Amino acid sequence: MRDTRESRLLLVLLIAIAFALITVDIRGGDESPVEGARRTAATVFGPVEDGVASAVNPVGNVIGAIRDSGARHDRISVLQQENAALKQRLGSDDRNRSRVRELDAMLAKAGAGQYGIKGAEVIAIGAAQGFSWTVTIDIGANDGIKRDMTVLNGEGLVGRVTTVGPHTATVLLANDPDFTVGTRMEKSDELGFATGQGDRPLSVQLLNGKSKVKKGDRLVTFGSSRDKPFVPGVPVGEVVRVDPSGGDLTRTIYVRPFVGFTKLDLVGVVVVAPREDPRDTVLPPKPKPVPTPTVTVTVTPSPDAGADTEAEANADDAGADPGTDQDDDLE
């Protein structure tokens, strides 16, 4: 439509009529003159609106569902993150509790043997210089660590220090084939030399080929001159097999070490040796044997068995020699 004077007048007229109808409709309420027209429009256009709504509402519902799903997904993500953080914290707490137990056991060993130790953490396994059974600890020369110091933990002998840096040190483990330590048997005091065999039990050569050794006997370190590289009394392991002596001057036994070398975490380096040999005092007390319960079985004769016995007695009486009774009467 062209913008002319007539068109402008028509637009103003239509607006005025619209306002007039709105005023009349509001004032008239249900009696409004346009109520019939409204009902007619509703009858005509209602089905169309319902159809359009039916077609459009699922789309709207999907959009709303997607929007709600996104909110739920965000909430689930938050909950998953919180759950993961909680699990991590719980795992960390479990690890901390485990390390506290390790530390308590190590301090108990040090206290029992009167060893002055410096605690350390294992930060690496293996050494760059070869394939030896070694670990790296996080203390070194700046902490007073020197070569040929004894290393232990809450279970027993771990090894000895071989290389020292300013902040770290390398420990040769007791199960390394190049590792040898003097040992002493619990109670019997038999001396020997234990050598590592990797993941197999330690091989111990006892100096006395006729020594009496049995499975379950325990060994501790004998100690070295001036306590280097080994201080005395550190638990080594338990006998698991004894080779026959065969008349040799020495005797070979096999010892399972107390220390689990594949799960080392906290260790202690002995920086002050004990004033006296602790001998067997650092060994844990042996568990008491569990008594075997004694079962007493009592046989109760049945009523049938009693009847059978009485019948047998009557049969014996019936089969007695009649002459015997007569002789008794004559006497």
Side-chain angles (χ1 to χ4, degrees):
M1 180 182 291
R2 296 178 59 184
D3 186 11
T4 60
R5 183 178 179 184
E6 289 79 5
S7 63
R8 291 179 182 177
L9 290 174
L10 179 59
L11 178 61
V12 170
L13 179 62
L14 291 174
I15 293 173
I17 293 172
F19 274 108
L21 291 174
I22 292 172
T23 302
V24 171
D25 184 50
I26 293 174
R27 289 181 179 180
D30 293 336
E31 302 296 331
S32 171
V34 298
E35 180 63 20
R38 184 186 298 111
R39 291 178 180 175
T40 301
T43 302
V44 175
F45 295 107
V48 177
E49 291 175 346
D50 185 60
V52 173
S54 300
V56 174
N57 283 343
V59 178
N61 292 336
V62 170
I63 295 174
I66 293 174
R67 186 183 301 112
D68 294 341
S69 175
R72 286 194 295 269
H73 179 72
D74 293 340
R75 180 56 181 162
I76 291 173
S77 298
V78 172
L79 292 174
Q80 287 176 341
Q81 292 175 1
E82 292 176 353
N83 191 26
L86 179 59
K87 287 182 178 179
Q88 184 177 3
R89 188 165 67 248
L90 290 174
S92 177
D93 290 342
D94 290 341
R95 184 169 184 269
N96 289 336
R97 284 192 290 269
S98 175
R99 301 187 83 188
V100 167
R101 288 193 296 268
E102 288 184 37
L103 183 59
D104 288 343
M106 185 170 66
L107 292 176
K109 282 283 188 292
Q114 297 299 305
Y115 308 123
I117 65 171
K118 276 188 176 291
E121 181 179 359
V122 173
I123 58 175
I125 300 175
Q129 62 265 28
F131 298 96
S132 301
W133 286 77
T134 60
V135 294
T136 302
I137 57 177
D138 62 350
I139 57 176
N142 292 349
D143 304 287
I145 305 304
K146 298 179 181 179
R147 180 183 171 87
D148 287 337
M149 284 184 167
T150 307
V151 182
L152 52 80
N153 68 359
E155 297 172 323
L157 179 67
V158 172
R160 62 181 175 88
V161 177
T162 56
T163 306
V164 181
H167 305 289
T168 61
T170 301
V171 178
L172 183 68
L173 301 181
N175 65 335
D176 186 90
D178 292 332
F179 186 96
T180 301
V181 57
T183 61
R184 183 173 54 77
M185 297 292 302
E186 180 185 13
K187 295 181 180 179
S188 69
D189 292 338
E190 294 288 351
L191 302 181
F193 293 94
T195 302
Q197 296 192 111
D199 55 359
R200 294 180 296 167
L202 306 176
S203 173
V204 181
Q205 294 287 330
L206 295 178
L207 301 182
N208 182 4
K210 298 181 180 180
S211 58
K212 295 182 179 180
V213 186
K214 63 181 184 299
K215 185 178 179 180
D217 287 347
R218 302 182 295 180
L219 297 84
V220 298
T221 56
F222 176 69
S224 307
S225 176
R226 297 183 180 180
D227 301 312
K228 286 189 177 182
F230 302 109
V231 295
V234 181
V236 175
E238 182 179 82
V239 176
V240 292
R241 183 162 64 90
V242 181
D243 281 354
S245 59
D248 296 333
L249 296 178
T250 61
R251 190 171 193 182
T252 303
I253 62 176
Y254 297 91
V255 174
R256 181 181 65 245
F258 290 125
V259 172
F261 297 106
T262 59
K263 53 181 181 180
L264 292 172
D265 187 10
L266 300 179
V267 298
V269 181
V270 180
V271 294
V272 179
R275 294 181 180 180
E276 297 180 359
D277 186 348
R279 301 186 71 81
D280 302 335
T281 59
V282 186
L283 285 168
K286 282 189 174 182
K288 295 181 180 180
V290 179
T292 303
T294 302
V295 179
T296 303
V297 179
T298 303
V299 179
T300 304
S302 62
D304 295 338
D308 293 341
T309 303
E310 185 177 355
E312 291 175 357
N314 294 333
D316 291 340
D317 293 339
D321 188 359
T324 304
D325 295 337
Q326 293 175 359
D327 292 340
D328 292 339
D329 294 338
L330 291 174
E331 291 176 359

